């Protein structure tokens, strides 16, 4: 637990062993003392802060009366102490008692319940989470004078960043809504060995307080003046020149669909730039600068080396992220570093990522293939979470789209402004949210969709540190992509098209809607051939149609679409359990003429894919299944036929002529 004085010259740190330390702005220890004020086992410090009126530190303590252990409710109380910074003496300022329900179980399966004594005051402090501190009015007035007097960026840095990053920054009140108050909160636990593994096994986000990172230099020292002194530049800062474009959306511009869709369909208004730290902080603290700036990276410098201040981040092994992923078998078993777009993804060791930006900037709702320990060093961040098995029902972008892994909805607007009216009720009930505070560690499991909004505090602008380690889901995706597709490149297009559908539908038929194995999976593994009349085949077709509609309904190729350029017939080989789509033409052969060996190879490859996907948790499987569905069709039919394959052609239809309603324009 940490606090910083108003002028940034003094820090207080309370360790998990209840040792109170005073440090100067460079992190040098000035004084240390044990807390003599905790008299009972139930008493815990909930907050420390420097007084604004006296030269003292305020210490807030929560506790329980121990007279009646059999009562269903216990008398809880709070105490406020002061620690005089000159005399080094403690004084009791006040004590208040109240009735409260006893704490609930520490079972992580009961996600969203506050389980740690003292945490209630952290989350219900009121003023810090619902509106800006009143002290900011003074800071903003001072900022106006400072900006009027500023004649250089050096002056701006020294006079606005020099006090810890508070003077002149635009404090944004943490927005709330009625629906947020009814949503499940991310559980908050005091750090204990083994709890991270339990969170991984239960696949749920968790906040850890009183964690080992509280003693890291980065958590104590990182603020604007410190970073400005130790960093020369920041590469690939995302900058939006539009005041209304405050949400950064990651875009892989080399994604296959980028070749056939308009760039406006995925451009969020942000563009990467290299900035000096003075320019970066100027953009954050200068009230007259309308730009939004957002940095996410590993602090690489122009000489190709990473910044030395990364040494301020303690040993990741203290937190045990990689070892927890290994012991739960939820991590990557390969040691090869993978690339995803322009980002290197870690495998078996932690990758350190740093996040900084203007208060109010947002990260669009997306999922990652990593286990993420998110450390909040300064400021606050609101997180909105969706479980993995809801992703395909939230109008996601196609996996082959530049915005892959992201949903089409602005989740902040949907929750905070629209009160969840446009979100299905069953999904809304399963959403989670939290506000991460300085000193917190948030565990974010892989494939959980999350939207993040940054807010500042009296101590400065938002700074966060992530430790990433590769997930089992990423390893499975890579293994699937390396599998040969059981379709011959020598076959005509319609035959490749139909055979690929047959292959993919066989894989989808291996799973129920909740991700558990279907009866078709066991039959396939026993070398029995499912028939089209079986319910799992129908379910596979329905799911394929659902994801095509969800992912491709809003995606249009350049120049729009044309109608009536081709005709197709649909045929079904009920004996083998495949559905084929055949174009009409004098030279085309019928799909039924695919030889028996090809069908056998197709089934065996499908069974192999099913076994791979079963290594994932049930709620994770449909994201990977549908992502693989897209990439396999791309490999089989090519980019110019992908749009037809994913959107225009029905998977199941009567044996009759159908008019194709969408087509890729010539030359696209």
């Amino acid at each position: 637990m940490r606090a910083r004085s108003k002028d940034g010259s003094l820090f207080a740190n309370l360790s998990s062993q209840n040792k109170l330390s005073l440090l100067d702005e460079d992190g040098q220890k000035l004084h240390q003392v044990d807390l003599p004020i905790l008299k009972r086992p139930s008493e815990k410090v909930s907050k420390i802060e420097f007084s604004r009126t006296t030269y003292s530190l305020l210490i807030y303590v929560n506790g329980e009366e121990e007279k009646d252990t059999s009562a269903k409710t216990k008398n809880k109380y709070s105490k406020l102490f002061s620690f005089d910074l000159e005399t080094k003496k403690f004084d009791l300022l006040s004590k208040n008692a109240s009735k409260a329900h006893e704490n609930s179980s520490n079972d992580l399966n009961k996600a969203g319940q506050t389980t740690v004594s003292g945490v209630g005051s952290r989350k219900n402090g009121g003023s810090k989470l619902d509106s800006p501190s009143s002290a900011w009015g003074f800071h903003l007035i001072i900022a106006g004078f400072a900006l009027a007097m500023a004649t250089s960026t050096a002056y701006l840095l020294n006079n606005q960043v020099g006090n810890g990053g508070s003077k002149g920054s635009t404090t944004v009140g943490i927005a709330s809504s009625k629906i947020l108050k009814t949503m499940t909160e991310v559980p908050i636990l005091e750090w204990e060995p083994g709890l991270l593994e339990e969170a991984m096994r239960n696949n749920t986000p968790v906040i850890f307080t009183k964690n080992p990172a509280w003693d890291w230099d980065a958590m104590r020292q990182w603020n604007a003046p410190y970073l400005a002194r130790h960093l020369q530049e920041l590469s690939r800062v995302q900058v939006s020149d539009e005041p209304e474009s405050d949400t950064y959306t990651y875009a892989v511009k080399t994604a296959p669909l980028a070749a056939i869709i308009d760039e406006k369909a995925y451009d969020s208004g942000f563009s990467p730039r290299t900035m000096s730290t003075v320019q970066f902080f100027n953009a954050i603290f200068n009230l007259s600068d309308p730009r939004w700036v957002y940095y996410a990276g590993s602090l690489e410098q122009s000489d190709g080396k990473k910044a030395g201040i990364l040494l301020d981040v303690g040993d990741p092994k203290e937190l045990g992220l990689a070892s927890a992923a290994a012991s739960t078998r939820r991590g990557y078993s390969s040691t090869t570093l993978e690339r995803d777009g322009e980002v290197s993804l870690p495998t078996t060791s932690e990758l350190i990522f740093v996040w900084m930006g203007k208060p109010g900037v947002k990260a669009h709702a997306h999922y990652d293939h990593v286990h993420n320990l998110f450390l909040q060093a300064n400021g606050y961040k609101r997180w909105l979470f969706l479980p993995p098995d809801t992703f395909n029902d939230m109008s996601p972008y196609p996996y082959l789209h530049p915005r892959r892994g992201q949903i089409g909805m602005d989740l902040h607007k949907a929750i905070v402004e629209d009160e969840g009216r446009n979100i299905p009720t069953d999904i809304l009930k399963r959403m989670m949210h939290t506000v991460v505070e300085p000193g917190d560690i948030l565990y974010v499991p892989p494939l959980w969709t999350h939207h993040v909004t940054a807010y500042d505090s009296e101590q400065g602008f938002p700074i966060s540190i992530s430790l990433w380690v590769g997930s089992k889901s990423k390893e499975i995706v890579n293994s699937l992509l390396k599998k040969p597709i059981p379709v011959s490149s020598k076959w005509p297009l319609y035959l490749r098209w139909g055979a690929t559908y047959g292959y993919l539908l066989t894989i989808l038929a291996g799973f129920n809607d909740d991700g558990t194995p279907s009866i078709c999976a066991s039959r396939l593994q026993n070398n029995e051939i499912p028939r089209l009349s079986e319910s799992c085949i129908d379910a596979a077709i329905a799911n394929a149609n659902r994801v095509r509609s969800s992912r491709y309904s809003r995606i249009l190729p350049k120049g729009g679409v044309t109608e009536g350029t081709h005709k197709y017939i649909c045929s079904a080989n009920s004996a083998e359990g495949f559905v084929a789509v055949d174009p009409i033409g004098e030279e085309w052969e019928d799909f039924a003429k695919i030889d028996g060996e090809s069908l056998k190879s197709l089934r065996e490859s499908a069974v192999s894919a099913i076994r791979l996907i079963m290594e994932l948790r049930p709620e994770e499987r449909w994201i990977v299944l549908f992502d693989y569905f897209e990439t396999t069709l791309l490999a089989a039919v090519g980019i110019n036929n992908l749009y037809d394959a994913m959107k225009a052609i029905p998977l199941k239809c009567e044996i009759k002529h159908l008019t194709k309603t969408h087509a890729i324009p010539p030359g696209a």
Side-chain angles (χ1 to χ4, degrees):
M1 192 175 301
R2 303 181 308 119
R4 181 183 291 123
S5 63
K6 182 178 176 182
D7 62 2
S9 63
L10 194 62
F11 296 79
N13 183 70
L14 183 65
S15 72
S16 55
Q17 290 78 36
N18 288 322
K19 291 185 180 293
L20 180 65
S21 301
L22 298 177
L23 308 98
D24 63 20
E25 60 182 335
D26 293 320
Q28 299 298 314
K29 191 176 294 184
L30 303 175
H31 184 73
Q32 187 177 70
V33 62
D34 291 324
L35 283 188
I37 57 177
L38 302 179
K39 304 296 185 182
R40 295 176 175 172
S42 68
E43 291 186 340
K44 297 180 183 295
V45 176
S46 62
K47 176 183 174 183
I48 60 175
E49 67 177 358
F50 285 93
S51 171
R52 298 177 185 173
T53 57
T54 62
Y55 190 56
S56 62
L57 182 73
L58 301 179
I59 304 170
Y60 299 81
V61 175
N62 290 341
E64 293 179 351
E65 299 287 356
E66 300 175 349
K67 294 179 181 179
D68 186 1
T69 58
S70 63
K72 292 185 178 179
T73 59
K74 297 182 180 180
N75 288 325
K76 293 190 176 184
Y77 58 84
S78 61
K79 295 180 181 179
L80 175 60
F81 292 88
S82 69
F83 177 64
D84 193 296
L85 298 176
E86 290 184 353
T87 65
K88 307 296 189 294
K89 291 183 178 180
F90 294 89
D91 289 310
L92 176 63
L93 300 182
S94 65
K95 177 179 178 179
N96 296 310
S98 63
K99 283 277 188 179
H101 293 290
E102 64 182 322
N103 291 336
S104 57
S105 167
N106 275 344
D107 185 0
L108 278 177
N109 289 302
K110 298 178 181 178
Q113 297 183 358
T114 300
T115 58
V116 182
S117 177
V119 165
S121 62
R122 172 195 174 282
K123 300 303 288 183
N124 300 320
S127 62
K128 292 177 74 174
L129 298 185
D130 296 327
S131 63
S133 166
S134 59
W136 279 103
F138 172 76
H139 289 316
L140 294 175
I141 293 172
I142 294 298
F145 285 110
L147 285 169
M149 296 170 60
T151 57
S152 68
T153 53
Y155 180 93
L156 186 66
L157 183 63
N158 291 332
N159 289 274
Q160 289 186 281
V161 182
N163 72 345
S166 59
K167 187 188 297 183
S169 72
T170 304
T171 303
V172 181
I174 298 183
S176 186
S177 66
K178 293 180 181 178
I179 197 67
L180 270 173
K181 296 175 182 178
T182 66
M183 286 168 53
T184 301
E185 287 198 48
V186 172
I188 304 167
L189 305 175
E190 290 186 6
W191 180 271
E192 290 181 14
L195 283 183
L196 178 57
E197 290 185 16
E198 189 175 347
M200 281 189 185
R201 290 191 180 96
N202 286 293
N203 194 33
T204 184
V206 177
I207 285 179
F208 293 106
T209 64
K210 293 190 176 181
N211 53 72
W214 278 8
D215 295 324
W216 290 3
D217 289 341
M219 301 291 278
R220 295 201 313 265
Q221 297 179 178
W222 280 17
N223 55 32
Y226 181 85
L227 294 175
R229 289 197 301 268
H230 292 84
L231 281 174
Q232 293 182 349
E233 64 184 12
L234 294 171
S235 62
R236 300 195 62 78
V237 176
Q238 300 295 331
V239 181
S240 168
D241 295 318
E242 299 295 328
E244 301 301 319
S245 299
D246 61 354
T247 302
Y248 171 64
T249 304
Y250 182 68
V252 182
K253 296 187 178 182
T254 57
L257 280 175
I260 64 171
I261 62 175
D262 197 307
E263 187 174 353
K264 293 179 181 179
Y266 57 84
D267 183 15
S268 65
F270 282 79
S271 59
R273 305 175 196 176
T274 297
M275 306 176 74
S276 70
T277 50
V278 171
Q279 292 172 327
F280 179 72
F281 292 127
N282 184 26
I284 288 180
F285 297 112
N286 187 342
L287 297 180
S288 64
D289 191 336
R291 295 178 299 171
W292 292 98
V293 291
Y294 179 74
Y295 174 77
S298 297
L299 301 182
E300 298 91 344
Q301 300 299 288
S302 57
D303 58 4
K305 298 180 180 179
K306 293 185 179 180
I309 63 169
L310 284 175
L311 295 174
D312 293 344
V313 179
D315 186 356
K317 292 181 181 178
E318 288 186 74
L319 303 178
L321 178 63
S323 60
S327 64
T328 58
R329 297 187 177 182
R330 297 266 290 134
Y332 213 107
S333 60
S334 169
T335 58
T336 304
L337 194 68
E338 298 290 344
R339 296 285 297 179
D340 187 3
E342 296 167 343
V343 180
S344 294
L345 294 181
T347 52
T348 57
S349 60
E350 295 90 344
L351 173 71
I352 299 174
F353 230 60
V354 178
W355 313 85
M356 299 184 290
K358 197 169 192 173
V361 73
K362 303 173 180 67
H364 192 82
H366 65 284
Y367 71 74
D368 298 306
H369 278 289
V370 295
H371 295 277
N372 182 1
L373 277 187
F374 189 88
L375 291 66
Q376 191 67 19
N378 248 328
Y380 301 91
K381 287 195 174 176
R382 160 160 286 146
W383 289 68
L384 301 172
F385 286 104
L386 287 162
D389 52 359
T390 64
F391 178 78
N392 288 308
D393 296 313
M394 294 297 290
S395 297
Y397 287 95
Y399 181 74
L400 301 175
H401 192 278
R403 287 191 179 183
R404 68 186 184 196
Q406 302 171 69
I407 64 173
M409 180 181 292
D410 181 342
L411 206 55
H412 176 84
K413 181 179 184 299
I415 293 297
V416 176
E417 298 178 24
D418 298 339
E419 297 287 353
R421 287 187 292 271
N422 297 319
I423 299 177
T425 303
D426 57 333
I427 293 179
L428 196 60
K429 290 179 179 179
R430 300 182 58 209
M431 286 186 65
M432 300 178 75
H433 77 104
T434 193
V435 174
V436 183
E437 302 182 7
D440 286 349
I441 291 181
L442 170 66
Y443 168 62
V444 184
L447 299 183
W448 276 70
T449 301
H450 49 276
H451 179 286
V452 187
T453 305
Y455 302 93
D456 57 1
S457 67
E458 293 182 21
Q459 285 72 37
F461 75 107
I463 306 174
S464 313
I465 302 166
S466 276
L467 301 179
W468 283 356
V469 72
S471 66
K472 174 61 71 175
S473 62
K474 183 61 177 177
E475 185 173 37
I476 297 302
V477 167
N478 287 345
S479 298
L480 287 170
L481 294 180
K482 292 174 183 176
K483 282 176 56 63
I485 300 173
V487 175
S488 173
S489 60
K490 297 179 181 179
W491 293 353
L493 176 61
Y494 83 95
L495 209 53
R496 284 184 275 137
W497 210 324
T500 304
Y501 268 134
Y503 168 64
L504 292 171
L505 288 175
T506 303
I507 297 174
L508 297 189
F511 300 92
N512 297 316
D513 287 349
D514 62 358
T516 55
S518 71
I519 188 173
C520 281
S522 58
R523 292 196 62 194
L524 281 164
Q525 293 184 79
N526 292 331
N527 204 28
E528 299 176 20
I529 304 171
R531 301 182 63 86
L532 276 175
S533 59
E534 294 193 37
S535 59
C536 44
I537 295 290
D538 285 336
I541 294 171
N543 278 318
N545 276 319
R546 177 170 63 92
V547 74
R548 290 194 310 161
S549 173
S550 175
R551 295 191 177 196
Y552 278 77
S553 60
R554 295 172 292 108
I555 308 303
L556 295 176
K558 294 175 183 177
V561 297
T562 57
E563 295 186 6
T565 55
H566 295 79
K567 290 184 178 181
Y568 292 87
I569 59 171
C570 297
S571 61
N573 186 336
S574 59
E576 297 295 344
F578 298 118
V579 176
V581 183
D582 303 340
I584 294 177
E586 296 179 359
E587 74 279 12
W588 301 108
E589 299 178 3
D590 190 84
F591 174 72
K593 293 184 179 179
I594 292 181
D595 60 274
E597 278 302 310
S598 296
L599 289 174
K600 180 180 178 183
S601 172
L602 190 152
R603 286 195 302 272
E604 290 175 348
S605 186
V607 170
S608 172
I610 289 172
R611 287 172 177 162
L612 272 175
I613 294 168
M614 282 185 181
E615 294 184 35
L616 300 173
R617 293 177 61 92
E619 65 268 27
E620 298 174 331
R621 290 169 182 165
W622 279 107
I623 290 183
V624 173
L625 278 165
F626 287 143
D627 288 354
Y628 182 58
F629 195 105
E630 289 186 51
T631 56
T632 303
L633 273 177
L634 173 66
V637 304
I639 186 61
N640 284 332
N641 297 291
L642 176 70
Y643 185 82
D644 292 340
M646 283 303 298
K647 183 175 182 192
I649 300 179
L651 283 174
K652 189 177 183 182
C653 56
E654 300 297 326
I655 308 297
K656 63 182 180 180
H657 290 190
L658 297 175
T659 299
K660 177 183 170 186
T661 56
H662 300 87
I664 296 295

